[in-house]
């Protein structure tokens, strides 16, 4: 592919210079090297690009078509470079961003602060909430969400930016007191610590060999709307919890929590960037979404924020 692009630049130079010799001089190449490059293009395309005479090389009809396409392609590349280069120096203005409380605090916010440090004219209004917000009514530029509970309206754009893995776990003291868990049926006899979102309990979705998903509605005595508080309860031996791996990585590593049913993994959860439809996306918004897409997945599955 790289050779194809280098050949295109030689081809365009031959057309604009009017011949192999002048093109070779401009490119600081030998005439033979230029001729071989054009020959390779012609062989690859199966056409003749030039009618060769002793003094000049004129384009064939196919050569004209190829030249016009190459010029358009080069213009697009240059335009793209200009947009990106302009964007680097035009990351300014305000972004109002809403994100889940814990995911935002531990995983999203560090990258946004890095971005604000790099671009001094960027202003960030960061909000944290586990309740779904109306982005247009509340004038948010961007939302980061754990999963999608319903189809989004057409005036919102969405992009998956990461996948969050979860772990079923309990403390050693709880398992010693209440018994081990080897199967899904065993869980039915244990106390669950349940996370509530949008006034509903979040059921535990398991993957059967990565193909079939089935849900387990556990019995529970304690329910939470904050997963960090739920982790605290699990650490105190109050029951079995389903928690993001990034949140409890150190507890698992140091044995304070024990992973359960690892051969039957929990279904992962997609993380999305959502923003209102706009005719022209600003450089600051585009850069922020790209940055989160590039880096957030590494954070939620390798707890950068909590690792010691």
């Amino acid at each position: 592919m790289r050779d194809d692009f280098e050949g295109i630049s030689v081809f365009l130079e031959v057309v604009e210079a009017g011949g192999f010799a002048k093109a070779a001089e401009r490119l600081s190449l030998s005439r033979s090297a230029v001729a071989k490059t054009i020959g390779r293009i012609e062989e690859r395309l199966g056409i003749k690009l030039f009618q060769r005479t002793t003094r000049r090389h004129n384009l064939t009809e196919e050569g004209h078509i190829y030249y016009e396409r190459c010029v358009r392609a080069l213009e697009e590349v240059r335009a793209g470079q200009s947009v990106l280069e302009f964007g680097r120096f035009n990351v300014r203005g305000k972004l109002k961003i809403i994100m889940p409380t814990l995911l935002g605090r531990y995983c999203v916010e560090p990258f946004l602060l890095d971005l604000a440090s790099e671009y001094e004219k960027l202003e960030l209004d960061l909000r944290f909430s586990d309740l779904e917000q109306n982005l247009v009514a509340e004038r948010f530029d961007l939302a980061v969400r754990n999963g999608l509970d319903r189809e989004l309206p057409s005036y919102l754009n969405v992009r998956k930016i990461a996948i969050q893995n979860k772990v079923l776990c309990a403390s050693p003291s709880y398992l010693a007191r209440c018994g081990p868990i080897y199967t899904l049926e065993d869980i039915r006899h244990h106390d669950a610590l349940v996370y509530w979102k949008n006034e509903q309990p979040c059921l535990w979705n398991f993957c059967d060999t990565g193909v079939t998903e089935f849900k387990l509605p556990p019995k529970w005595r304690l329910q939470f709307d904050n997963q960090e508080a739920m982790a605290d309860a699990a650490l105190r031996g109050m029951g079995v919890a389903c928690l993001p791996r990034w949140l409890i990585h150190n507890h698992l590593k140091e044995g304070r929590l024990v992973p359960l049913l690892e051969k039957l993994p929990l279904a992962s959860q997609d993380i999305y960037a959502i923003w209102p439809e706009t005719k022209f996306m600003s450089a600051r918004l585009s850069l922020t979404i790209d940055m989160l897409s590039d880096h957030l997945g590494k954070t939620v599955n390798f707890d950068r924020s909590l690792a010691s």
Side-chain angles (χ1 to χ4, degrees):
M1 182 63 71
R2 181 180 175 183
D3 291 341
D4 292 350
F5 284 115
E6 290 176 350
I8 288 172
S9 64
V10 172
F11 167 68
L12 293 175
E13 195 63 56
V14 171
V15 175
E16 292 164 8
F20 288 7
K22 288 184 178 179
E25 183 179 345
R26 293 183 182 182
L27 295 170
S28 299
L29 297 172
S30 67
R31 188 182 186 284
S32 173
V34 171
K36 287 179 180 179
T37 299
I38 299 301
R40 285 194 293 269
I41 298 175
E42 291 178 328
E43 183 178 358
R44 186 174 69 250
L45 297 176
I47 61 172
K48 285 292 183 182
L49 296 172
F50 294 98
Q51 292 289 352
R52 294 164 172 81
T53 67
T54 55
R55 294 186 176 181
R56 191 169 179 84
H57 296 81
N58 297 317
L59 285 170
T60 62
E61 183 177 351
E62 292 86 353
H64 274 292
I65 295 172
Y66 188 63
Y67 173 72
E68 290 174 0
R69 296 286 182 175
C70 287
V71 169
R72 290 180 196 172
L74 186 60
E75 288 174 350
E76 287 295 320
V77 170
R78 287 171 176 166
Q81 291 174 338
S82 296
V83 168
L84 293 176
E85 189 65 27
F86 176 71
R88 290 192 187 99
F89 299 101
N90 198 46
V91 179
R92 64 180 67 201
K94 187 174 182 178
L95 282 179
K96 186 178 180 183
I97 304 173
I98 182 76
M99 65 199 84
T101 304
L102 286 182
L103 178 73
R105 173 67 183 85
Y106 288 116
C107 298
V108 180
E109 182 192 26
F111 286 112
L112 295 179
L113 295 182
D114 288 344
L115 192 68
S117 297
E118 183 174 356
Y119 298 96
E120 296 181 354
K121 294 184 179 180
L122 178 65
E123 302 172 35
L124 296 179
D125 180 352
L126 305 182
R127 306 294 179 93
F128 300 84
S129 175
D130 294 320
L131 300 177
E132 188 172 314
Q133 306 291 324
N134 185 318
L135 302 191
V136 175
E138 299 295 329
R139 297 185 179 181
F140 283 106
D141 299 295
L142 177 65
V144 176
R145 286 186 187 168
N146 284 320
L148 294 178
D149 298 327
R150 57 184 175 80
E151 186 176 350
L152 293 175
S154 59
Y155 57 81
L156 293 178
N157 291 318
V158 61
R159 175 177 168 184
K160 185 169 80 171
I161 56 175
I163 297 175
Q164 177 175 240
N165 293 326
K166 294 189 173 184
V167 181
L168 195 70
C169 62
S171 70
S173 63
Y174 174 85
L175 295 172
R177 186 177 73 254
C178 299
I181 296 175
Y182 297 120
T183 67
L184 288 175
E185 186 60 32
D186 290 340
I187 296 179
R188 300 182 189 278
H189 307 290
H190 284 264
D191 291 324
L193 306 174
V194 176
Y195 178 59
W196 276 61
K197 181 180 179 182
N198 297 327
E199 301 303 320
Q200 293 184 349
C202 293
L203 303 182
W204 300 347
N205 297 352
F206 291 86
C207 293
D208 181 9
T209 66
V211 178
T212 305
E213 291 188 9
F214 53 97
K215 298 179 179 180
L216 181 70
K219 66 171 185 174
W220 68 84
R221 183 168 62 92
L222 300 175
Q223 62 190 48
F224 306 80
D225 69 353
N226 181 286
Q227 293 183 99
E228 198 166 31
M230 189 162 67
D232 291 341
L235 288 166
R236 292 186 59 174
M238 302 297 290
V240 180
C242 174
L243 292 162
R245 181 174 291 276
W246 60 263
L247 181 63
I248 59 171
H249 170 83
N250 283 345
H251 299 315
L252 294 171
K253 182 179 178 181
E254 297 172 11
R256 292 188 292 271
L257 291 175
V258 178
L260 305 172
L261 301 181
E262 292 186 279
K263 292 184 179 180
L264 190 62
L266 287 153
S268 59
Q269 183 177 47
D270 294 335
I271 300 174
Y272 296 93
I274 303 170
W275 65 98
E277 178 70 39
T278 177
K279 188 174 182 180
F280 299 105
M281 183 182 289
S282 66
R284 60 184 178 274
L285 179 58
S286 177
L287 181 67
T288 301
I289 295 171
D290 287 344
M291 188 243 0
L292 288 173
S293 180
D294 288 342
H295 299 291
L296 188 57
K298 300 173 186 176
T299 303
V300 296
N301 290 315
F302 182 75
D303 52 291
R304 168 182 140 172
S305 57
L306 299 182
S308 56

